[in-house]
Amino acid sequence: MKKLIAGNWKMNGGLEANEALLRGIAGGLGQPACAVAVAVPAVYLAQVQGLLQGSLVQLAAQDVSAHDAGAYTGEVSAAMLRDFGVRYTLVGHSERRQYHGETDALVAAKAQKALNAGITPIVCVGETLAQREAGETEAVVRRQLAAVIHQVGQCVSELVVAYEPVWAIGTGKTATPEQAQQVHAVLRAQLAAATTQAAKVPVLYGGSMSAANAAELLAQPDIGGGLIGGASLKPQDFLKIIESAQ
Ligand code: PEP
């Protein structure tokens, strides 16, 4: 299976900056061995859709509503994302769980709405530092993924999963390749118990992945790609990570 490298721009960017960033990425992309996507703020989906015409980089959103339409001020539905050629959407990023109170049930409902619209949800799971120190890592990530597996039934094989230890996101502290692999193996086993097609599901690692550490992380047997925050805003770093994903 091809690896997937997805950039998460978070709440960064602007019309000019987006164009410059994508020009920088296009300039060095060539024919990557992996799939590549960028998850951009919702207001820039139309702009980035235009800029990515003819590119191998695919468009992703950072979130999706758990509702189809109606009185949900500020939300963006999966059908709306689809209108702009969105291929993937993050669901359950730890910043949404933490700052917007997203529960496992809500994340599962969002994953379902994305699938219904033909968009692949990138389901983010991960433990906090306190949970890791309490020895709860495995239980936490299994619980978070179980909610989505329970919701989507036979569609488990259409998911992408991203293991993102919360303590490693934006902190410069990366999980060691061994720590990451250990959790990825747990998630892979959980997927294998849910579907005979688990091999189709990439399990990405995210959390301060950089040009310097990507190759070692991506060489782990159960790491199927990366979800990249800060380094995805720097074309040379993002390209180096893409190169590392063989
Ligand atoms: C993320 O936002 O998903 C992420 C992994 O961020 P960073 O790479 O900056 O830690």
Side-chain angles (χ1 to χ4, degrees), residues 171-197:
T171 59
K173 286 185 201 150
T174 319
T176 64
E178 295 72 27
Q179 280 173 324
Q181 167 57 30
Q182 207 172 11
V183 180
H184 278 247
V186 167
L187 294 169
R188 288 234 66 91
Q190 189 176 6
L191 290 164
T195 171
T196 53
Q197 310 232 48

Side-chain angles (χ1 to χ4, degrees), residues 86-109:
V86 167
R87 167 79 178 76
Y88 301 97
T89 183
L90 307 184
V91 294
H93 190 280
S94 67
E95 288 152 15
R96 301 233 33 110
R97 293 182 191 260
Q98 196 177 345
Y99 306 136
H100 300 272
E102 294 199 4
T103 61
D104 293 343
L106 181 64
V107 172

Side-chain angles (χ1 to χ4, degrees), residues 8 10 93 95 164 168-171 206-209 227-230:
N8 174 16
K10 311 195 192 205
H93 190 280
E95 288 152 15
E164 298 208 301
I169 296 180
T171 59
S208 298
M209 193 184 267
L227 180 55
I228 326 296

Side-chain angles (χ1 to χ4, degrees), residues 70-90:
Y72 301 102
T73 302
E75 299 224 348
V76 177
S77 73
M80 292 171 183
L81 297 182
R82 191 70 247 173
D83 274 346
F84 290 92
V86 167
R87 167 79 178 76
Y88 301 97
T89 183
L90 307 184

